[in-house]
Amino acid sequence: MIKSLVLGAGGFIGNHLVSRLKQNGHFVKGIDLKHPEFSETSADEFIIGDLRDPRICAEHVTSEFDEVYQLAADMGGAGYLFSGENDFNVMHNSGMINLNVTDCAIKQGIKNIFFSSSACIYPKENQLDPLNPNCEESSAYPADPDSEYGWEKIFSERVYLSAMRNYGLNVHIARFHNVYGPFGTWNSGKEKAPAALCRKVAEATNGSSIEIWGDGEQTRSFLYIDDCLDGVLKLMNSDFEGPVNIGSEEMVSINNLCKVILKHANKEATLHHIEGPIGVMGRNSENSLVKERIGWEPKISLAEGIGKTYDWIAQQVDKNKVDLSVSVEKGNG
Ligand code: NAD
């Protein structure tokens, strides 16, 4: 039986990955600062631990595992990453995790390690035109990401790649582009655009307005979680180290993303543009390399993935309303 260790197993992608690895018959141990928020973990063993602490890493990142998936990071949506308020924590916390993990992986002779990097590493000047962003892997240098989050990721890519060159660590690096789906954070302040807009639409009544940060013409692509997991596993089981894009090429403006959600919800609302952190003006995955090297491409359209995500978030919004009214009733009683 393959033994897998998932770091960041309480997070959105980590929790889904644990379930997929269990379905595939692996023994899975997960580590995180917290349990998954919206479901029980399927891991055989789940440790609450802080990977910034080298002793925690040394205790759990051990040679008994055939493979390690490193997804733990201080992470959030635009409101968290681009406001500037969390810059030091993002760099320091995630940097420490990756330095500790590579150190232990080298010492323990880990055979196979996956690192989740991000499309946020790409230079900001290549992403000024919303209709023609350039996110080819080869465009990453000279580096000039638009956020400290992106700088930490490109630094850590280099930490993993140098561990590979100097110590023979077998690494696989994916640059994820906006992964979304059910069981992701939707009202914590760390939610990303698809979850935030699904929540706003679920809360809206017909004829009300939906707030959008910026003019809404900024473009992105969004990858449904099941496609993301297919890509991660294909990359991990290949002999390709990357870094490689794992994203969707179905680019959409934030205004149009909102319209896709409204259509699925069968609601009408006006879009109200307000000031807010928006990141770069354009970003889209470029999948030539990933198709060529590991034969992966996404299968789930934006409309289909958004439908599944909206239905789950709408349920959460309803559940919250019920919980709130029960606690008000109890308070009144
Ligand atoms: P997430 O925030 O849901 O998961 C990250 C997990 O790491 C969290 O559960 C968090 O508690 C855990 N963590 C943070 N600090 C830790 C510490 N010191 N010790 C132990 N655990 C710690 O994020 P996600 O969306 O699941 O993303 C997973 C990975 O993929 C992250 O590295 C992220 O940067 C990367 N990524 C995600 C996306 C996306 O769209 N979701 C895009 C690009 C890159």
Side-chain angles (χ1 to χ4, degrees), residues 2-9 12-18 21 26 29 31 51 61 65-73 94 97-106 109-119 149 152-153 156-161 163-164 168-177 179 223 225-247 290 294 296:
I2 298 171
K3 293 186 91 175
S4 308
L5 178 66
V6 178
L7 310 176
F12 165 57
I13 301 174
N15 182 37
H16 280 281
L17 178 62
V18 166
L21 293 169
H26 295 210
K29 175 168 165 177
I31 306 182
L51 295 162
V61 181
F65 293 100
D66 300 297
E67 50 179 35
V68 174
Y69 296 86
Q70 194 330 59
L71 297 139
S94 300
I97 295 171
N98 287 311
L99 290 170
N100 287 340
V101 169
T102 42
D103 187 44
C104 293
I106 290 167
I110 296 290
K111 294 178 209 90
N112 222 2
I113 186 160
F114 171 85
F115 171 57
S116 49
S117 182
S118 165
Y149 172 73
E152 187 283 322
K153 288 291 190 193
S156 288
E157 282 188 2
R158 299 185 72 94
V159 171
Y160 284 88
L161 290 170
M164 180 181 75
L169 197 65
N170 192 7
V171 305
H172 306 275
I173 303 175
R175 293 176 180 158
F176 290 152
H177 291 242
V179 184
L223 181 69
I225 182 69
D226 293 1
D227 277 333
C228 171
L229 298 180
D230 291 346
V232 169
L233 297 185
K234 269 204 149 171
L235 181 59
M236 192 65 155
N237 292 311
S238 75
D239 58 5
F240 185 40
E241 68 270 16
V244 71
N245 290 330
I246 294 212
V290 74
I294 63 167
W296 172 86

Side-chain angles (χ1 to χ4, degrees), residues 116-131:
S116 49
S117 182
S118 165
C120 289
I121 63 102
Y122 288 112
K124 54 178 178 283
E125 57 272 25
N126 294 349
Q127 302 173 81
L128 299 174
D129 178 354
L131 298 179

Side-chain angles (χ1 to χ4, degrees), residues 10-318:
F12 165 57
I13 301 174
N15 182 37
H16 280 281
L17 178 62
V18 166
S19 304
R20 176 70 77 87
L21 293 169
K22 281 307 301 168
Q23 281 163 22
N24 291 353
H26 295 210
F27 171 89
V28 185
K29 175 168 165 177
I31 306 182
D32 203 299
L33 290 173
K34 61 174 180 64
H35 289 280
E37 212 177 331
F38 305 107
S39 68
E40 291 289 315
T41 181
S42 327
D44 298 282
E45 205 182 327
F46 194 100
I47 305 291
I48 296 291
D50 187 339
L51 295 162
R52 289 170 302 181
D53 182 342
R55 289 165 306 183
I56 296 287
C57 264
E59 197 181 327
H60 300 288
V61 181
T62 60
S63 57
E64 71 175 294
F65 293 100
D66 300 297
E67 50 179 35
V68 174
Y69 296 86
Q70 194 330 59
L71 297 139
D74 195 349
M75 160 68 176
Y80 187 77
L81 296 179
F82 304 133
S83 67
E85 287 164 19
N86 304 300
D87 284 353
F88 176 75
N89 286 344
V90 166
M91 292 209 92
H92 188 255
N93 293 339
S94 300
M96 279 177 81
I97 295 171
N98 287 311
L99 290 170
N100 287 340
V101 169
T102 42
D103 187 44
C104 293
I106 290 167
K107 285 180 180 149
Q108 291 288 322
I110 296 290
K111 294 178 209 90
N112 222 2
I113 186 160
F114 171 85
F115 171 57
S116 49
S117 182
S118 165
C120 289
I121 63 102
Y122 288 112
K124 54 178 178 283
E125 57 272 25
N126 294 349
Q127 302 173 81
L128 299 174
D129 178 354
L131 298 179
N132 289 299
N134 177 9
C135 292
E136 263 179 49
E137 287 83 351
S138 58
S139 71
Y141 293 96
D144 192 16
D146 74 322
S147 64
E148 301 302 353
Y149 172 73
W151 279 108
E152 187 283 322
K153 288 291 190 193
I154 204 159
F155 164 76
S156 288
E157 282 188 2
R158 299 185 72 94
V159 171
Y160 284 88
L161 290 170
S162 56
M164 180 181 75
R165 287 195 306 275
N166 296 163
Y167 293 98
L169 197 65
N170 192 7
V171 305
H172 306 275
I173 303 175
R175 293 176 180 158
F176 290 152
H177 291 242
N178 293 310
V179 184
Y180 74 101
F183 303 107
T185 187
W186 59 277
N187 68 347
S188 64
K190 284 191 162 190
E191 63 276 17
K192 303 179 118 202
L197 290 176
C198 284
R199 184 197 71 230
K200 290 178 190 184
V201 170
E203 288 171 347
T205 48
N206 264 338
S208 61
S209 71
I210 308 283
E211 284 189 345
I212 298 207
W213 289 345
D215 66 7
E217 292 304 318
Q218 64 273 28
T219 54
R220 293 292 185 277
S221 68
F222 299 96
L223 181 69
Y224 191 67
I225 182 69
D226 293 1
D227 277 333
C228 171
L229 298 180
D230 291 346
V232 169
L233 297 185
K234 269 204 149 171
L235 181 59
M236 192 65 155
N237 292 311
S238 75
D239 58 5
F240 185 40
E241 68 270 16
V244 71
N245 290 330
I246 294 212
S248 158
E249 289 180 314
E250 194 181 345
M251 190 169 80
V252 63
S253 70
I254 299 299
N255 288 335
N256 283 339
L257 172 66
C258 193
K259 288 175 192 163
V260 171
I261 300 170
L262 283 164
K263 187 170 176 214
H264 175 80
N266 200 19
K267 288 189 180 185
E268 280 179 18
T270 52
L271 308 187
H272 177 49
H273 297 103
I274 58 166
E275 267 193 39
I278 60 169
V280 292
M281 274 313 287
R283 179 170 289 154
N284 191 16
S285 191
E286 210 292 326
N287 289 351
S288 310
L289 186 66
V290 74
K291 272 185 220 160
E292 181 198 316
R293 294 302 301 265
I294 63 167
W296 172 86
E297 59 186 323
K299 298 192 183 78
I300 298 166
S301 69
L302 181 68
E304 188 185 350
I306 280 293
K308 294 178 190 204
T309 309
Y310 177 84
D311 292 347
W312 180 78
I313 291 180
Q315 271 174 19
Q316 301 299 306
V317 168
D318 285 346

